[in-house]
Amino acid sequence: MPPVDIRRWHRLFGIALTDLFADTSWRVELEKELALKSQLLDVAIIEGPGEAPAVPEGLPDGLDGLRAHNLLTYKSQHEALTAWTLDELIGHYVSYRKLTSPKDALIPEAAFGLFAVATRFPEGLAREVTLKPAGPEGVFDVPWGARHIRLVVLRRIARHPRNAPWELFSAEQDRLRDGVMGYRARRRSAMALLRALYQAYQLEDPDMAYTMEDFLREERAALLNDLTPEERQRLIEGLAPEDVLRRYSADDVVKGLSPDELRRLKDRLDRMH
Protein backbone atom coordinates (compact mmCIF):
# COMPACT_ATOMS: atom_id res chain seq x y z
CA MET A 1 0.00 0.00 0.00
CA PRO A 2 1.41 3.47 -0.87
CA PRO A 3 2.02 5.97 1.96
CA VAL A 4 -1.12 7.60 3.31
CA ASP A 5 -1.56 11.17 2.03
CA ILE A 6 -3.03 12.96 5.06
CA ARG A 7 -3.26 16.31 3.26
CA ARG A 8 -5.40 14.71 0.55
CA TRP A 9 -8.06 13.88 3.13
CA HIS A 10 -7.95 17.38 4.60
CA ARG A 11 -8.24 18.93 1.15
CA LEU A 12 -11.19 16.73 0.17
CA PHE A 13 -12.90 17.49 3.48
CA GLY A 14 -12.56 21.21 2.81
CA ILE A 15 -13.91 20.81 -0.72
CA ALA A 16 -16.98 19.04 0.65
CA LEU A 17 -17.68 21.98 2.96
CA THR A 18 -17.11 24.39 0.09
CA ASP A 19 -19.90 22.67 -1.84
CA LEU A 20 -22.14 22.59 1.24
CA PHE A 21 -22.01 26.40 1.48
CA ALA A 22 -22.20 27.05 -2.27
CA ASP A 23 -24.62 29.79 -3.39
CA THR A 24 -24.96 31.25 0.11
CA SER A 25 -23.58 34.38 1.70
CA TRP A 26 -20.86 32.29 3.36
CA ARG A 27 -17.43 31.54 1.91
CA VAL A 28 -15.17 28.63 2.82
CA GLU A 29 -11.40 29.06 2.87
CA LEU A 30 -9.07 26.05 2.93
CA GLU A 31 -5.64 25.72 4.51
CA LYS A 32 -5.62 29.36 5.50
CA GLU A 33 -2.12 30.70 6.17
CA LEU A 34 -1.95 32.32 9.60
CA ALA A 35 1.73 33.11 10.17
CA LEU A 36 5.08 33.73 8.55
CA LYS A 37 5.97 30.20 9.62
CA SER A 38 3.48 27.90 7.96
CA GLN A 39 0.54 27.25 10.31
CA LEU A 40 -2.45 26.14 8.28
CA LEU A 41 -5.97 26.24 9.62
CA ASP A 42 -7.92 23.42 7.94
CA VAL A 43 -11.14 25.32 7.18
CA ALA A 44 -12.64 28.75 7.85
CA ILE A 45 -16.37 29.27 7.21
CA ILE A 46 -16.99 33.00 7.01
CA GLU A 47 -20.22 34.93 6.75
CA GLY A 48 -20.28 37.38 3.87
CA PRO A 49 -22.50 40.17 2.58
CA GLY A 50 -25.15 39.73 -0.07
CA GLU A 51 -28.69 38.62 -0.57
CA ALA A 52 -27.95 34.88 -0.78
CA PRO A 53 -29.50 32.62 1.89
CA ALA A 54 -27.92 33.07 5.30
CA VAL A 55 -26.99 29.38 5.66
CA PRO A 56 -27.69 26.26 3.59
CA GLU A 57 -30.78 24.27 4.47
CA GLY A 58 -30.25 20.98 6.26
CA LEU A 59 -26.77 21.53 7.66
CA PRO A 60 -25.17 18.36 9.06
CA ASP A 61 -25.26 17.87 12.82
CA GLY A 62 -22.88 20.05 14.78
CA LEU A 63 -22.84 23.04 12.42
CA ASP A 64 -25.85 24.77 13.95
CA GLY A 65 -25.37 28.17 15.49
CA LEU A 66 -22.70 29.37 13.11
CA ARG A 67 -21.02 32.66 13.99
CA ALA A 68 -19.59 35.27 11.62
CA HIS A 69 -16.20 33.47 11.69
CA ASN A 70 -16.04 29.70 12.19
CA LEU A 71 -12.66 28.01 12.48
CA LEU A 72 -12.51 24.26 12.01
CA THR A 73 -9.85 21.61 12.56
CA TYR A 74 -10.27 18.17 11.02
CA LYS A 75 -8.74 14.78 11.80
CA SER A 76 -9.15 11.92 9.33
CA GLN A 77 -9.32 8.19 10.11
CA HIS A 78 -5.52 8.18 10.21
CA GLU A 79 -5.17 10.85 12.91
CA ALA A 80 -6.10 11.21 16.56
CA LEU A 81 -7.80 14.30 17.92
CA THR A 82 -5.74 15.19 20.98
CA ALA A 83 -5.38 17.94 23.55
CA TRP A 84 -2.56 19.35 21.43
CA THR A 85 -4.95 19.56 18.46
CA LEU A 86 -7.29 21.74 20.51
CA ASP A 87 -4.39 23.85 21.76
CA GLU A 88 -3.43 24.44 18.13
CA LEU A 89 -7.02 25.40 17.28
CA ILE A 90 -6.98 28.01 20.05
CA GLY A 91 -3.66 29.30 18.68
CA HIS A 92 -5.19 29.54 15.19
CA TYR A 93 -8.13 31.44 16.67
CA VAL A 94 -5.81 33.97 18.32
CA SER A 95 -3.79 34.48 15.12
CA TYR A 96 -6.86 34.66 12.90
CA ARG A 97 -8.60 37.16 15.19
CA LYS A 98 -5.56 39.44 15.15
CA LEU A 99 -5.17 39.20 11.37
CA THR A 100 -8.81 39.94 10.56
CA SER A 101 -9.53 42.63 13.14
CA PRO A 102 -9.24 46.35 12.36
CA LYS A 103 -6.22 48.12 13.82
CA ASP A 104 -8.14 49.95 16.52
CA ALA A 105 -10.11 47.04 18.06
CA LEU A 106 -10.40 43.26 18.06
CA ILE A 107 -13.46 41.60 16.54
CA PRO A 108 -15.69 40.55 19.49
CA GLU A 109 -15.21 37.01 20.86
CA ALA A 110 -18.88 36.28 20.21
CA ALA A 111 -18.22 36.50 16.46
CA PHE A 112 -16.12 33.31 16.53
CA GLY A 113 -17.09 29.65 16.62
CA LEU A 114 -14.53 26.87 17.08
CA PHE A 115 -15.12 23.36 15.70
CA ALA A 116 -13.21 20.08 15.76
CA VAL A 117 -14.33 17.30 13.41
CA ALA A 118 -12.84 13.85 13.95
CA THR A 119 -13.52 10.61 12.11
CA ARG A 120 -12.70 8.50 15.19
CA PHE A 121 -13.86 9.05 18.77
CA PRO A 122 -10.97 10.71 20.67
CA GLU A 123 -10.47 8.12 23.42
CA GLY A 124 -7.35 9.78 24.81
CA LEU A 125 -8.94 13.23 24.94
CA ALA A 126 -12.02 11.80 26.66
CA ARG A 127 -9.79 10.60 29.50
CA GLU A 128 -8.41 14.11 29.98
CA VAL A 129 -11.52 16.27 29.72
CA THR A 130 -15.29 15.87 29.89
CA LEU A 131 -16.96 15.73 26.49
CA LYS A 132 -20.43 17.14 27.11
CA PRO A 133 -23.17 15.81 24.78
CA ALA A 134 -24.54 18.77 22.81
CA GLY A 135 -27.87 17.43 21.57
CA PRO A 136 -27.47 15.42 18.36
CA GLU A 137 -25.79 12.05 18.62
CA GLY A 138 -22.03 12.27 18.16
CA VAL A 139 -21.87 16.01 18.87
CA PHE A 140 -20.13 17.31 21.99
CA ASP A 141 -19.11 20.59 23.60
CA VAL A 142 -15.58 20.69 24.99
CA PRO A 143 -14.63 23.43 27.47
CA TRP A 144 -11.09 24.52 26.63
CA GLY A 145 -9.69 27.37 28.65
CA ALA A 146 -11.95 30.38 28.24
CA ARG A 147 -13.47 28.95 25.02
CA HIS A 148 -15.86 26.15 24.12
CA ILE A 149 -15.11 23.92 21.14
CA ARG A 150 -17.82 22.04 19.29
CA LEU A 151 -16.70 18.46 18.59
CA VAL A 152 -18.28 16.29 15.88
CA VAL A 153 -17.37 12.58 15.77
CA LEU A 154 -18.18 11.27 12.29
CA ARG A 155 -18.50 7.63 13.31
CA ARG A 156 -21.04 8.48 16.01
CA ILE A 157 -23.38 10.91 14.28
CA ALA A 158 -26.98 9.97 13.51
CA ARG A 159 -27.46 8.11 10.23
CA HIS A 160 -29.62 10.64 8.41
CA PRO A 161 -29.50 12.20 4.90
CA ARG A 162 -28.59 15.61 6.34
CA ASN A 163 -25.36 14.03 7.62
CA ALA A 164 -24.31 12.67 4.23
CA PRO A 165 -21.39 15.17 3.91
CA TRP A 166 -20.03 13.86 7.22
CA GLU A 167 -20.57 10.19 6.36
CA LEU A 168 -18.50 10.50 3.20
CA PHE A 169 -15.50 10.86 5.54
CA SER A 170 -16.50 8.21 8.10
CA ALA A 171 -14.30 5.48 6.54
CA GLU A 172 -16.91 2.88 7.53
CA GLN A 173 -18.56 0.77 4.84
CA ASP A 174 -22.20 1.13 5.96
CA ARG A 175 -21.94 4.83 6.76
CA LEU A 176 -20.15 5.53 3.51
CA ARG A 177 -22.97 3.81 1.62
CA ASP A 178 -25.49 6.03 3.43
CA GLY A 179 -23.35 9.06 2.60
CA VAL A 180 -23.10 8.43 -1.12
CA MET A 181 -26.81 7.63 -1.38
CA GLY A 182 -27.84 10.70 0.61
CA TYR A 183 -25.32 13.21 -0.74
CA ARG A 184 -26.89 16.05 -2.70
CA ALA A 185 -24.27 18.18 -4.39
CA ARG A 186 -25.06 21.89 -4.49
CA ARG A 187 -23.22 22.18 -7.81
CA ARG A 188 -22.66 19.63 -10.53
CA SER A 189 -18.91 20.30 -10.32
CA ALA A 190 -18.94 18.75 -6.84
CA MET A 191 -19.12 15.34 -8.52
CA ALA A 192 -15.37 15.74 -8.91
CA LEU A 193 -15.18 15.51 -5.11
CA LEU A 194 -16.86 12.10 -5.14
CA ARG A 195 -14.55 10.89 -7.87
CA ALA A 196 -11.53 12.05 -5.85
CA LEU A 197 -12.91 10.35 -2.73
CA TYR A 198 -13.40 7.17 -4.75
CA GLN A 199 -9.74 7.27 -5.77
CA ALA A 200 -8.61 7.91 -2.19
CA TYR A 201 -10.65 5.02 -0.81
CA GLN A 202 -9.56 2.79 -3.69
CA LEU A 203 -5.93 3.25 -2.63
CA GLU A 204 -6.65 2.49 1.02
CA ASP A 205 -9.68 0.17 1.06
CA PRO A 206 -11.00 -1.26 -2.23
CA ASP A 207 -14.18 -2.52 -0.53
CA MET A 208 -15.28 1.03 0.31
CA ALA A 209 -14.25 2.21 -3.13
CA TYR A 210 -16.67 -0.31 -4.61
CA THR A 211 -19.53 1.32 -2.69
CA MET A 212 -18.74 4.67 -4.27
CA GLU A 213 -18.19 3.23 -7.75
CA ASP A 214 -21.82 2.00 -7.87
CA PHE A 215 -22.99 5.52 -7.06
CA LEU A 216 -20.69 7.18 -9.57
CA ARG A 217 -21.81 4.81 -12.32
CA GLU A 218 -25.43 5.87 -11.74
CA GLU A 219 -24.44 9.54 -11.66
CA ARG A 220 -22.55 9.28 -14.92
CA ALA A 221 -25.61 7.72 -16.55
CA ALA A 222 -27.84 10.46 -15.12
CA LEU A 223 -25.48 13.14 -16.41
CA LEU A 224 -25.52 11.63 -19.89
CA ASN A 225 -29.32 11.52 -19.89
CA ASP A 226 -29.44 15.24 -19.03
CA LEU A 227 -27.51 16.16 -22.17
CA THR A 228 -29.16 17.15 -25.43
CA PRO A 229 -28.45 14.85 -28.39
CA GLU A 230 -25.99 17.45 -29.72
CA GLU A 231 -24.16 17.67 -26.39
CA ARG A 232 -24.08 13.89 -26.11
CA GLN A 233 -22.65 13.58 -29.62
CA ARG A 234 -19.92 16.15 -28.90
CA LEU A 235 -19.01 14.26 -25.71
CA ILE A 236 -18.83 10.94 -27.51
CA GLU A 237 -16.80 12.37 -30.38
CA GLY A 238 -14.24 13.66 -27.88
CA LEU A 239 -13.56 10.20 -26.44
CA ALA A 240 -11.99 7.05 -27.79
CA PRO A 241 -14.53 4.17 -28.09
CA GLU A 242 -12.93 2.23 -25.26
CA ASP A 243 -13.17 5.31 -23.01
CA VAL A 244 -16.85 5.77 -23.86
CA LEU A 245 -17.73 2.20 -22.95
CA ARG A 246 -15.57 2.32 -19.84
CA ARG A 247 -17.45 5.39 -18.55
CA TYR A 248 -20.96 4.59 -19.77
CA SER A 249 -23.00 1.52 -20.61
CA ALA A 250 -23.89 0.92 -24.26
CA ASP A 251 -27.56 1.60 -23.47
CA ASP A 252 -26.66 4.96 -21.92
CA VAL A 253 -24.59 5.94 -24.93
CA VAL A 254 -27.27 5.32 -27.57
CA LYS A 255 -30.28 6.46 -25.54
CA GLY A 256 -31.83 9.50 -27.20
CA LEU A 257 -29.64 9.47 -30.31
CA SER A 258 -31.37 9.92 -33.64
CA PRO A 259 -30.98 7.30 -36.43
CA ASP A 260 -28.50 9.61 -38.18
CA GLU A 261 -26.46 10.03 -34.99
CA LEU A 262 -26.49 6.28 -34.41
CA ARG A 263 -25.28 5.71 -37.97
CA ARG A 264 -22.45 8.24 -37.53
CA LEU A 265 -21.46 6.61 -34.24
CA LYS A 266 -21.41 3.17 -35.88
CA ASP A 267 -19.30 4.46 -38.76
CA ARG A 268 -16.81 6.00 -36.33
CA LEU A 269 -16.52 2.78 -34.32
CA ASP A 270 -16.00 0.80 -37.54
CA ARG A 271 -13.21 3.16 -38.61
CA MET A 272 -11.52 2.88 -35.22
CA HIS A 273 -11.49 -0.90 -35.43
Side-chain angles (χ1 to χ4, degrees), residues 5 28 47 55 63 65 117 127 156 204 218 261 271 273:
D5 185 352
V28 177
E47 186 178 25
V55 293
L63 286 185
V117 179
R127 291 191 291 269
R156 294 203 175 184
E204 298 182 16
E218 294 175 2
E261 290 168 331
R271 289 195 302 273
H273 292 279

Side-chain angles (χ1 to χ4, degrees), residues 13 45-46 56 58 61 63 66 92 96 101 106 109 137 168 189 205 217 221 230 233-234 245 263 265:
F13 182 78
I45 303 172
I46 306 163
D61 290 346
L63 286 185
L66 291 175
H92 290 331
Y96 178 94
S101 293
L106 290 173
E109 288 186 24
E137 185 178 353
L168 292 176
S189 59
D205 191 331
R217 188 181 301 112
E230 293 78 12
Q233 185 66 27
R234 284 198 297 272
L245 294 179
R263 189 159 43 250
L265 177 59

Side-chain angles (χ1 to χ4, degrees), residues 94-152:
V94 172
S95 297
Y96 178 94
R97 190 179 176 199
K98 288 180 178 178
L99 287 171
T100 55
S101 293
K103 292 182 178 180
D104 55 343
L106 290 173
I107 296 173
E109 288 186 24
F112 293 88
L114 303 181
F115 296 81
V117 179
T119 298
R120 299 185 279 122
F121 184 80
E123 300 285 355
L125 181 65
R127 291 191 291 269
E128 299 181 42
V129 65
T130 300
L131 308 182
K132 300 168 57 177
E137 185 178 353
V139 179
F140 305 87
D141 280 332
V142 185
W144 206 254
R147 304 288 305 178
H148 277 74
I149 297 173
R150 173 64 54 87
L151 167 63
V152 182

Side-chain angles (χ1 to χ4, degrees), residues 4-18 28-32 40-44 72-81 85 88 92 117-119 169 193 197 200 204:
V4 171
D5 185 352
I6 297 297
R7 288 194 66 182
R8 177 205 291 261
W9 286 102
H10 285 241
R11 199 171 298 116
L12 292 174
F13 182 78
I15 292 170
L17 287 174
T18 300
V28 177
E29 298 184 2
L30 312 184
E31 298 184 336
K32 188 173 181 65
L40 297 179
L41 171 68
D42 287 325
V43 179
L72 189 150
T73 187
Y74 163 67
K75 294 299 179 186
S76 70
Q77 65 269 30
H78 305 293
E79 308 165 276
L81 182 75
T85 306
E88 282 189 319
H92 290 331
V117 179
T119 298
F169 294 87
L193 163 68
L197 274 171
E204 298 182 16

